[in-house]
Amino acid sequence: MEVEPARRDAAALDPELLQLAELAPGALRENSIIADALYSQWLVLPETTKLVKSLIEDAKTGAVLNVAGSSASTNAASSGSLPSMFPAGSAPPLSPRSTSGSPRVMRRGSGAGPSSLGSPLKLVSEPVREVIPQFYFKNGHPPTKDLKEQCLSRTDHLFFGGEGLQIQEFRSVTKDICKLPSFFSSVLFKKIDVACTGTVSRDAFVEYWINDNKITMDMASQIFEILRKPGYTYLTQDDFKPVLKELLATHPGLEFLQGTPEFQERYAETVIYRIFYSINRSGNGHLTLRELKRGNLIAALQQLDEEEDINKVLRYFSYEHFYVIYCKFWELDTDHDFLIDKENLIRYGNHSLTYRIVDRIFTQIPRKFTSMSEGKMGYEDFVYFILSEEDKSSEPSLEYWFKCIDLDGNGILTSNEMQFFYEEQLHRMECMAQEPVLFEDILCQMIDMIGPENESYFTLRDLKRCKLSGNIFNILFNLNKFMAFETRDPFLIRQERENPTLTEWDRFAHREYIRLSMEEDGEDASNGSGDVLLHEFGWTWMIMVVKRKNCKVGGYPVEAIVDSADSVTPKTTYKFYCADLIRYLSVILLCKHFCLAGKLGREVGGRPAVSRQQPQQSQMIL
């Protein structure tokens, strides 16, 4: 047998090899015979027998087991260390341990640092505990000493006298110390004046703004804390109403609305609806701090506080945009009950939408209606619809129409679902004697346009990655925009590239505002309200036409319009201006013997007043 040679080999081992802690981990594993021989020889030693019996007795009595030593039995002296395999007095002395380690270990480590296989008796120094500074503060990071002293100095200057400030005087505190838009003054004042005393003392302001660490928050967090109700973790539409109320009362660009409070209310509602449409991506009406920070509302508020022309603040607050939305709703709401049904909505955009997509909207799949009437949408629902329809490049719009086309709600648009909506488009093209485009050809174009990850279907992620994805929906259910895309004017494309900051909605709202205001002014002129200045240019009308070869405007040659300058009517002027001025900028129309723009602040046919601000040079070119 091989056991006897193994025992002889074990007896001939260098005693230093018994320091198993210094052996490589696989030294004994590679030669298991030697390990078995060593273990067998160790078991037959007298000391081992005593140790095993002592452990058994300790286990029976329930004493704490300690193999390495400190046994409670009389074998404490002999159990302090493992029994040696050599007879007493015959074991050779161990070589002294080197502080630099064994030569074998040094060769094995190749200077890579201390070995991880060192003796277990070696003391390990405890690691130095690193003190991590506090990085989370429940009520915000406290201000630095310099910032606090600076803020207190300005506070003492504005609260000089110690009698406190009333709400009219608090505006400077909001603007200069808090660095917030001035129309947040009333909301901040009432937030501090909890007892409704009508004044805010210096101590009350310091406690709320400085001691409560509002001063170190970013502006989005400050506005969120000021607007939200106690105990709520989100903002609702009602939280923005006090801000809009003060804006309407103080902003110079909205002074002309002060005589029409009903339109002030509609303007405020429209602004709030637009804010929640763009920022509240969850669509639950609860605007969180995260959503507020990710949106562009804060930048719009800062611009609004510095800009006197309200129409230059295109995000959310433009009066021209409100005017277009409201007038579009008013045109469709024939009975003026402030509700729209399917038959009303099908007339939108000169019957541009298909019946199938209108039916899909009224199933409330893309968005639940807020109106309480069955089968009718209210003004808020219409705001969401028109913003989605006129700017299909925005993410809220893509999500809105994606839900409409996704008939089974599985999160993908298949060819069958898209063909279902395109069939009505194809029928309409045939009725209009236009050359129909087969769905198979259209599907290939859409796949090339979007470049989806899987060509058998479209996902919302595919659409959001492509800038032209809005045209997919126009192809499926908006015939007018589909044909316009197929025959798009290179001049308009170049114009869009020259001003890429404008969205599709901005361009649409500007065109429609001019058309609607000209429509209203034409009604004023036909009713005999002359001898006023044109609101768009501010000059008495004259006709000046720059002739262009083969150019027709309003269906009339340029020469015919020049020759019949004295017989220009409101209808031909309106047709000329709206239909062709966008396409032919070389034709400049002013008017002779014909004046527009009625009295300031007047409403016509239930519409709000047209904004009569002096136009800038950029407003004269669409």
Side-chain angles (χ1 to χ4, degrees), residues 463-534:
L463 299 181
K464 288 184 178 181
R465 286 191 294 107
C466 179
K467 295 182 179 180
L468 300 176
S469 55
N471 296 311
I472 298 295
F473 299 115
N474 291 332
I475 292 172
L476 297 178
F477 55 76
N478 192 316
L479 184 59
N480 294 348
K481 292 185 177 181
F482 174 37
M483 300 308 298
F485 176 74
E486 290 292 318
T487 60
R488 53 192 179 277
D489 191 347
F491 173 76
L492 295 179
I493 297 176
R494 184 172 66 252
Q495 189 180 24
E496 293 177 1
R497 292 175 179 174
E498 290 175 356
N499 198 348
T501 58
L502 294 179
T503 63
E504 294 181 15
W505 165 255
D506 296 334
R507 297 187 178 93
F508 165 80
H510 186 64
R511 292 193 305 266
E512 284 299 306
Y513 181 79
I514 291 178
R515 183 186 69 81
L516 293 168
S517 59
M518 290 288 292
E519 214 172 61
E520 178 181 334
D521 294 337
E523 293 176 4
D524 291 346
S526 62
N527 292 332
S529 58
D531 198 22
V532 283
L533 298 180
L534 171 66

Side-chain angles (χ1 to χ4, degrees), residues 118 184 466 496 504 558 582 611 616:
F184 278 85
C466 179
E496 293 177 1
E504 294 181 15
V558 173
I582 298 176
S611 177
Q616 304 295 326

Side-chain angles (χ1 to χ4, degrees), residues 2 94 118 192 214 260 271 313 409 446 448 473 544 583 614:
E2 297 181 358
L94 298 177
I192 301 175
K214 297 289 192 306
T260 54
V271 171
V313 187
M446 292 191 296
D448 294 339
F473 299 115
M544 294 187 304
R583 190 167 297 175
Q614 186 67 23

